[in-house]
Amino acid sequence: MTEKSPADNFPAGYEPAKVWTWEKGNGGAFANINRPTAGPTHEKERPVGKHPLQLYSLATPNGVKVTIMLEELLAAGHAGAEYDAWPIRIGDGDQFGSGFVEVNPNSKIPALMDHAPVGGGAPVRVFESASILLYLAEKFGGAFLPDTLRARTETFNWLFWQMGSAPFLGGGFGHFYAYAPIRIQYAIDRYAMEVKRQLDVLDRHLADNRFMAGEDYTIADMAIWPWYGNLALGQAYGDAGTFLDVESYGHVQRWTAEIAARPAVKRGRMVNRLNGDPAEQLHERHDASDFDTKTQDKLEANGGL
């Protein structure tokens, strides 16, 4: 008797080819920039501002992690955390420019160049959002990183939980719910179930903890909040908050509100934001005063100057 494969249970329809081939323009919100190869597609020099820390990013959840961290460092008195933030317009393919690829060969935001690394020497590139958070924490003397074994380990536990879990929220649920060219019930149900399980993980943990690692606000909170806090606020993937009943996760809501009220978080969410309320868009950030003078509403009122 021939053993059945799992595919035998699928309804008739698409059958994968023996060898996959790329079809350009295959639909979806990001079909114009997705491709199965790495490396630059064009020459484009990356800009460099006046500060040692140069951030190339966009106000997606992964980008917001880093701008929150930088603004929190400045709020905590770390003057060396001053930075220039340059927008990478991923819809236009900026991430495939040669200058950006030199900083992140994976062509994903955020990416950071430190032109004054600890110990001196050549500039250091840092890519992957968790790597950037850890790098900045260590550069500034363990800021937002506990020094006791248990709290430090718990911080790492939740930091890497986020890195492993968020693809199910963004690339899984978010893609099939909001961006895919067709609605596929199986895919939406599969990832909605996983995201609700993740929200339950967070809710149960936050029932007994003020922040992710206990009483102290850490880089774990900064990593998780832009993804799951944004979802809890109903500000991700259209009406996904209603669909996933995010209001029912009371401890997540409490944690979300407390972090959202932090001034550094409010500023960090604005940096490299290119959509939404013009008053909350700061396309480029080069100085703390930019929040008062160069948000998009003020630039538009002054004729774009």
Side-chain angles (χ1 to χ4, degrees):
M1 181 177 179
T2 304
E3 184 177 349
K4 284 188 175 184
S5 76
D8 293 331
N9 297 319
F10 295 168
Y14 168 70
E15 289 292 336
K18 188 76 172 177
V19 178
W20 182 83
T21 57
W22 179 33
E23 294 182 11
K24 291 186 178 180
N26 60 350
F30 304 105
N32 65 315
I33 59 171
N34 289 337
R35 59 192 179 100
T37 56
T41 60
H42 59 282
E43 293 296 318
K44 185 175 182 180
E45 186 176 349
R46 67 178 180 271
V48 178
K50 62 183 179 180
H51 302 296
L53 294 175
Q54 298 292 304
L55 178 66
Y56 306 93
S57 191
L58 192 66
T60 66
N62 285 334
V64 167
K65 296 176 193 176
V66 177
T67 48
I68 286 176
M69 175 63 162
L70 288 164
E71 292 297 329
E72 290 282 12
L73 286 167
L74 290 169
H78 297 282
E82 270 294 351
Y83 66 104
D84 294 279
W86 306 92
I88 299 299
R89 293 173 168 81
I90 59 177
D92 297 339
D94 287 353
Q95 69 274 34
F96 300 118
S98 57
F100 184 84
V101 174
E102 287 174 358
V103 185
N104 186 355
N106 195 39
S107 291
K108 302 289 185 181
I109 62 97
L112 179 76
M113 286 295 295
D114 184 357
H115 292 265
V118 174
V124 172
R125 75 178 186 184
V126 198
F127 59 89
E128 289 296 328
S129 56
S131 180
I132 297 174
L133 293 178
L134 283 169
Y135 180 87
L136 291 171
E138 291 176 344
K139 179 180 176 72
F140 293 100
F144 302 105
L145 186 60
D147 54 9
T148 64
L149 174 65
R150 292 183 185 278
R152 188 182 184 89
T153 302
E154 192 72 352
T155 300
F156 290 159
N157 288 341
W158 288 107
L159 174 64
F160 293 110
W161 175 88
Q162 185 277 316
M163 296 297 287
S165 297
F168 290 96
L169 170 55
F173 173 77
H175 177 78
F176 286 106
Y177 185 78
Y179 302 133
I182 58 173
R183 291 287 178 93
I184 303 171
Q185 182 179 352
Y186 171 78
I188 293 173
D189 286 348
R190 168 69 181 87
Y191 288 111
M193 177 175 64
E194 174 60 14
V195 171
K196 286 185 70 66
R197 189 193 68 81
Q198 292 174 0
L199 287 168
D200 194 42
V201 168
L202 290 173
D203 204 59
R204 290 169 183 265
H205 177 70
L206 290 167
D208 300 317
N209 295 273
R210 179 182 177 188
F211 295 111
M212 295 309 303
E215 283 300 306
D216 294 329
Y217 174 65
T218 70
I219 58 173
D221 299 284
M222 297 179 202
I224 295 169
W225 189 89
W227 282 99
Y228 296 90
N230 202 40
L231 181 65
L233 291 170
Q235 297 176 0
Y237 314 120
D239 62 351
T242 300
F243 182 73
L244 296 171
D245 190 23
V246 295
E247 290 291 337
S248 66
Y249 301 95
H251 303 296
V252 173
Q253 290 292 335
R254 184 269 307 161
W255 169 84
T256 293
E258 181 170 357
I259 294 177
R262 296 177 69 91
V265 172
K266 293 179 181 180
R267 292 192 297 273
R269 297 185 75 192
M270 296 168 63
V271 179
N272 296 148
R273 183 165 298 282
L274 306 181
N275 54 31
D277 183 352
E280 296 182 358
Q281 295 181 39
L282 185 62
H283 291 191
E284 294 184 9
R285 191 266 191 216
H286 305 291
D287 188 85
S289 64
D290 291 346
F291 292 100
D292 298 320
T293 62
K294 295 185 179 178
T295 53
Q296 201 60 19
D297 60 326
K298 295 181 178 67
L299 293 179
E300 291 172 1
N302 292 326
L305 299 177

